[in-house]
């Protein structure tokens, strides 16, 4: 299912979301071999981070609660994996970056561009490092504006997408701030929360970090609504993500206005094969309604 | 997360203990559970026995987590979730090669093979006698060859010392191994030319245990050790270029 996005051509509108199977080239290659259109690396910053101790990812009835804590091998090591991936695959690779400070975003982006990723996704909305970083930059319009300008300055020809969460002063308003400051796309949304689960016998929170971001089916309605609102408020394209598990969820995202749809937690429920299954489902939907491509129904719910 | 009080603790020797929990996971031999010490961390461990409604996990003190585990007492609650991963297949006329605490998952395999009436031979090695855990149990149900680094039990030396001879003498048709990675490298080198199929039970740093975080993916195969492993066969291992060379730490960096 050929899909155009910005200046890119993808074999599918589906993208591997950041934080899932995106640590290494071999892992991302395997996802592309299962019909994923593009892959996003695990978020990285300047220095290597261990992240939070385990348990860092725990399932509950309607999704996952995670506080991995932005573990990553550091930007210089992370771009080696992007370079390796580009040697073994033609699929676009998106570099997900973050910083502990606004300035660090610029420095990490400088390193990221060396590997020439097809897009830089700027994570300003991770909800599980509040204890360390405080309020996410993505909740503060001035900070988000500054980070967007900084990364755009460094990125050159490489398009930049800002990954926003559903919190803060409103995602539609924040998306507008990004657009006004030069962003080429919006990724909506990050995990939701933070949330908490408590073990009733130990009588303590299960996550070592106590709180973490919620993903999976539980957050699909929040994600669909967020994409819908962003689509109304900006004209740059949207990578819709959050709780997409089945093809019907992906179709909802596209009807709300997403140009691409990212999957992460779905791999837990449906296996790596989930990309094949959702592609097939979307194809059947196109045929049923007589559409030629997903562009024919994008934003159709408005 | 489900938590269970420790029912019983058996000390095999200094720094080697088995912990028993009143819960069964109906795990296949080689599958693992994630063990949570509340307030500390959570790590993957293979199951060494499931019998009479009890699950046994056998641990050697090695790093900060296992040191902490050694301090736990009967009645204290630990979290267990699983079973995770892909276990051993069950084959006739097999050789079980265990090194150190790698004997733990083989104990479960040996029990299963024995229950099914399948013939197998055990080749077990460790640093010293008390680390040859379950040796009398293996002796009861199979022909055994023992090795220790210090010669305190069995022959002095490594399990690979007379491996080819044992394979020939015992008419071995299938090989299972669990232990340190350096042992896999040596075993693989010796048995690859024989075309005898084999399975290794491997270890990597893990976070989620459910195949999504990517932490335990093996270069260049893309195999997720927590889902497609921890037991890999000779075909799975063909694409693995990091065996005995590098692994990834908690940050994801190769070391």
């Amino acid at each position: 299912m050929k899909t155009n996005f910005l200046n890119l051509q993808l074999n599918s509108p589906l993208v591997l979301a950041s934080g899932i199977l995106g640590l290494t080239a071999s892992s991302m290659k395997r996802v592309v071999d299962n019909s994923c259109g593009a892959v996003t690396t695990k978020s990285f910053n300047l220095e290597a981070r261990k992240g939070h101790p385990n348990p860092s990812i725990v399932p509950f009835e309607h999704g996952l609660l995670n506080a991995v804590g932005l573990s990553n091998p550091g930007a210089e090591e992370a771009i080696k994996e992007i370079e390796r991936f580009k040697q073994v695959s033609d699929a676009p690779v998106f570099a997900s970056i973050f910083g502990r400070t606004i300035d660090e975003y610029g420095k990490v982006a400088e390193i990221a561009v060396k590997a020439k990723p097809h897009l830089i996704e700027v994570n300003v909305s991770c909800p599980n490092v509040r204890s360390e970083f405080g309020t996410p930059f993505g909740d503060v319009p001035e900070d988000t504006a500054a980070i967007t300008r900084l990364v755009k300055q460094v990125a050159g020809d490489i398009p930049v997408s800002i990954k926003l969460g559903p919190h803060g002063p409103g995602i539609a308003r924040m998306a507008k701030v990004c657009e006004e400051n030069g962003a080429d796309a919006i990724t909506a949304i990050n995990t939701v929360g933070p949330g908490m689960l408590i073990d009733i016998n130990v009588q303590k929170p299960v996550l070592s970090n106590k709180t973490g971001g919620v993903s999976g089916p539980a957050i699909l309605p929040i994600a669909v609504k967020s994409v819908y609102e962003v689509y109304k408020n900006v004209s740059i394209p949207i990578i819709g993500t959050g709780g997409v598990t089945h093809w019907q969820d992906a179709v909802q995202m596209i009807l709300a206005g997403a140009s691409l749809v990212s999957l992460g937690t779905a791999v837990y429920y449906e296996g790596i094969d989930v990309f094949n299954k959702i592609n097939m489902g979307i194809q059947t939907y196109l045929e049923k309604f007589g559409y030629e491509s997903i562009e024919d129904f994008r934003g159709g719910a408005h | 997360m489900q938590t269970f009080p420790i029912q019983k603790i058996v000390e095999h020797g200094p720094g080697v203990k088995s912990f028993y929990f009143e819960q069964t996971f109906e795990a296949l031999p080689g599958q693992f559970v994630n063990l949570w010490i509340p307030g500390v961390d959570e790590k993957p461990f293979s199951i060494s026995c499931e019998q009479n409604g009890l699950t046994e996990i056998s641990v050697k003190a090695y790093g900060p987590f296992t040191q902490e585990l050694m301090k736990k007492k009967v009645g204290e609650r630990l979290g267990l979730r699983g079973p995770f991963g892909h276990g051993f297949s069950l084959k006739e006329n097999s050789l079980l090669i265990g090194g150190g605490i790698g004997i733990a998952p083989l104990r479960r395999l040996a029990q299963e093979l024995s229950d099914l009436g399948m013939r197998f031979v055990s080749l077990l090695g460790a640093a010293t006698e008390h680390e040859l855990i379950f040796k009398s149990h293996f002796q009861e149900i199979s022909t055994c060859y023992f090795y220790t680094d210090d010669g305190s039990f069995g022959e002095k030396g490594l399990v690979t010392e007379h491996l080819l001879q044992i394979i020939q003498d015992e008419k071995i048709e299938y090989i299972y191994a669990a232990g340190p990675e350096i042992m896999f490298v040596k075993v693989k080198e010796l048995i690859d030319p024989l075309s005898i199929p084999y399975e290794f039970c491997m270890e990597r740093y893990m976070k989620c245990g459910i195949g999504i975080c990517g932490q335990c993916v093996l270069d260049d195969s893309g195999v997720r050790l927590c889902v497609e492993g921890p037991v890999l066969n000779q075909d799975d291992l063909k694409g693995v270029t990091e065996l005995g060379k590098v692994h990834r730490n908690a940050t994801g960096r190769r070391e």
Side-chain angles (χ1 to χ4, degrees):
Chain A
M1 211 182 319
K2 298 269 183 239
T3 305
N4 293 313
F5 178 75
L6 296 168
N7 57 345
L8 304 172
Q9 266 233 324
L10 285 73
N11 286 330
S12 152
L14 304 182
V15 180
L16 176 71
S18 180
I20 307 290
L21 296 175
L23 185 62
T24 63
S26 57
S27 179
M28 295 189 285
K29 168 74 163 61
R30 189 164 167 213
V31 175
V32 169
D33 290 344
N34 280 274
S35 307
C36 180
V39 292
T40 314
T41 67
K42 179 150 181 52
S43 296
F44 57 87
N45 70 322
L46 273 185
E47 302 294 334
R49 288 171 58 86
K50 275 188 173 178
H52 302 306
N54 291 333
S56 54
I57 303 174
V58 292
F60 67 102
E61 205 177 342
H62 307 290
L64 300 176
L65 183 70
N66 99 80
V68 169
L70 294 171
S71 64
N72 77 93
E76 291 289 354
E77 193 69 21
I79 63 166
K80 287 185 201 160
E81 296 293 343
I82 297 176
E83 284 161 354
R84 279 189 199 110
F85 176 78
K86 289 177 69 177
Q87 282 170 12
V88 295
S89 178
D90 295 328
V93 52
F94 302 166
S96 176
I97 65 164
F98 74 96
R100 288 159 302 175
T101 62
I102 291 172
D103 283 348
E104 191 180 341
Y105 278 89
K107 290 184 182 134
V108 180
E110 270 174 35
I111 297 171
V113 297
K114 290 196 288 183
K116 300 193 178 63
H118 298 86
L119 177 140
I120 295 177
E121 186 171 277
V122 184
N123 181 1
V124 291
S125 48
C126 179
N128 70 44
V129 285
R130 277 171 184 268
S131 54
E132 184 182 348
F133 297 180
T135 305
F137 296 119
D139 285 3
V140 184
E142 297 74 28
D143 292 350
T144 301
I147 290 168
T148 306
R149 284 197 303 271
L150 198 55
V151 175
K152 269 302 285 179
Q153 233 167 43
V154 175
D157 295 343
I158 301 170
V160 173
S161 181
I162 311 295
K163 185 168 183 174
L164 298 172
H167 311 296
I171 194 166
R173 184 182 154 201
M174 293 307 297
K176 192 75 188 168
V177 168
C178 296
E179 185 181 43
E180 285 168 357
N181 284 278
D184 301 288
I186 298 294
T187 305
I189 55 178
N190 210 314
T191 54
V192 171
M196 181 186 281
L197 289 168
I198 292 170
D199 185 278
I200 61 166
N201 291 308
V202 175
Q203 304 180 336
K204 289 276 185 290
V206 176
L207 288 178
S208 71
N209 186 54
K210 298 187 176 70
T211 64
V214 182
S215 66
I219 71 166
L220 178 73
I222 300 172
V224 171
K225 171 257 185 195
S226 298
V227 169
Y228 186 91
E229 286 190 346
V230 171
Y231 185 80
K232 255 198 327 204
N233 217 32
V234 300
S235 52
I236 50 177
I238 303 162
I239 304 173
T241 180
V244 174
T245 312
H246 305 290
W247 69 264
Q248 294 91 338
D249 308 337
V251 169
Q252 286 195 59
M253 281 292 207
I254 297 163
L255 285 167
S259 293
L260 298 178
V261 178
S262 270
L263 308 181
T265 302
V267 174
Y268 166 60
Y269 290 101
E270 298 288 313
I272 294 184
D273 192 37
V274 67
F275 297 96
N276 285 314
K277 289 186 211 162
I278 295 184
N279 277 328
M280 282 182 342
I282 296 174
Q283 190 62 46
T284 310
Y285 184 80
L286 290 178
E287 284 159 20
K288 182 180 169 191
F289 283 86
Y291 296 135
E292 282 180 11
S293 77
I294 63 166
E295 275 152 46
D296 294 346
F297 70 96
R298 177 182 310 132
H302 289 265
Chain B
M1 180 75 73
Q2 279 191 291
T3 60
F4 309 94
I6 301 169
Q7 286 290 319
K8 184 171 88 167
I9 299 172
V10 170
E11 188 164 5
H12 299 279
V16 189
K17 286 181 181 176
S18 281
F19 298 86
Y20 293 76
F21 302 89
E22 204 168 11
Q23 170 73 18
T24 52
F25 293 88
E26 286 166 31
L28 301 167
Q31 284 191 304
F32 66 94
V33 290
N34 275 355
L35 191 153
W36 175 43
I37 307 179
V40 179
D41 207 334
E42 184 192 38
K43 300 267 180 199
F45 288 93
S46 58
I47 291 169
S48 50
C49 190
E50 277 195 72
Q51 237 168 20
N52 308 322
L54 294 177
T55 290
E56 178 182 359
I57 292 168
S58 307
V59 182
K60 179 182 174 178
Y62 185 75
F65 182 87
T66 44
Q67 300 284 4
E68 203 58 44
L69 188 54
M70 291 298 142
K71 297 179 198 158
K72 293 291 160 193
K73 298 190 171 59
V74 169
E76 285 191 73
R77 238 171 219 284
L78 300 178
L80 291 173
R81 54 179 173 141
F84 296 127
H86 172 87
F88 290 109
S89 62
L90 303 168
K91 306 281 179 178
E92 190 79 56
N93 294 321
S94 59
L95 178 67
L96 278 57
I97 309 174
I101 200 64
I103 295 169
L106 295 184
R107 156 81 173 88
R108 174 90 182 79
L109 173 64
Q111 188 65 54
E112 191 81 11
L113 291 170
S114 171
D115 290 349
L116 292 167
M118 298 171 90
R119 175 187 173 260
F120 67 95
V121 173
S122 306
L123 169 55
L124 307 175
T128 187
E129 182 178 358
H130 79 256
E131 291 186 10
L132 281 171
I133 53 172
F134 309 117
K135 63 174 177 300
S136 57
H137 193 82
F138 278 94
Q139 280 172 316
E140 279 167 31
I141 57 178
S142 67
T143 303
C144 290
Y145 296 85
F146 294 110
Y147 290 84
T148 49
D149 295 351
D150 61 3
S152 57
F153 192 85
E155 274 201 59
K156 184 173 177 173
L158 302 172
V159 288
T160 45
E161 206 91 356
H162 306 109
L163 176 59
L164 293 176
Q165 193 61 48
I166 294 167
I167 290 171
Q168 200 183 349
D169 293 350
E170 299 286 355
K171 299 186 171 45
I172 295 303
E173 294 167 1
Y174 206 88
I175 291 171
Y176 303 104
E181 201 145 313
I182 185 73
M183 185 187 94
F184 295 144
V185 173
K186 188 68 189 162
V187 168
K188 191 171 184 299
E189 200 179 291
L190 289 167
I191 64 177
D192 268 336
L194 306 180
S195 304
I196 296 177
Y198 55 86
E199 294 176 11
F200 293 166
C201 183
M202 292 182 58
E203 285 185 312
R204 279 295 178 272
Y205 184 86
M206 289 181 186
K207 281 188 198 290
C208 73
I210 52 177
I212 59 161
C213 76
Q215 189 75 33
C216 66
V217 172
L218 301 175
D219 284 346
D220 294 327
S221 63
V223 162
R224 300 169 295 173
L225 202 67
C226 72
V227 174
E228 285 91 29
V231 176
L232 301 181
N233 67 22
Q234 71 283 345
D235 294 328
D236 302 325
L237 284 160
K238 272 185 191 137
V240 177
T241 53
E242 64 176 68
L243 189 78
K245 297 193 180 100
V246 289
H247 62 274
R248 288 172 199 280
N249 65 18
T251 72
R253 189 181 281 264
R254 286 188 175 83
E255 58 176 30

